Amino acid sequence: GLNSGLQKVSGNQPLVPKLQDSKTTGTSFAETLKDAVGKVNELQQVADVKMQQLSTGETTDIADVKIATEKADIALRLMT
C-alpha cells in the first residue's frame, strides 16, 4: 500500500543517484537518466501523498510534509 511505498523512499538515500562511468558499471546514460527521473517521480508522489494526508487530517506533522515537498522540489531542480 501507500505506507510501504513511503518507507522505501524515506531514509538516507541520495535524492538523485550519482552518475558513474558507464564503462565501469555497464550502465548506459539512458538507463542512468531513466533511474534518476524515476527517483524524482517517486519523491513527487510521496510528497503528494503526504500533502493529501495533511489536508484530510490523517497526519498533523507539517514538518514531515514540508521536508517531503522540499526533497521533491530539490530533486526536480537538480534534474534541470
Side-chain angles (χ1 to χ4, degrees), residues 23-76:
K23 293 178 185 175
T24 59
T25 63
T27 305
S28 71
F29 175 75
E31 290 170 340
T32 302
L33 183 59
K34 181 181 174 185
D35 291 343
V37 169
K39 181 66 175 178
V40 170
N41 184 49
E42 192 175 340
L43 289 167
Q44 291 285 339
Q45 290 175 350
V46 168
D48 287 346
V49 167
K50 288 182 182 270
M51 284 190 284
Q52 288 174 358
Q53 289 173 339
L54 182 66
S55 67
T56 60
E58 288 180 56
T59 185
T60 57
D61 190 352
I62 296 172
D64 186 45
V65 175
K66 183 65 176 170
I67 290 169
T69 304
E70 289 299 316
K71 279 183 179 181
D73 182 57
I74 291 168
L76 182 62

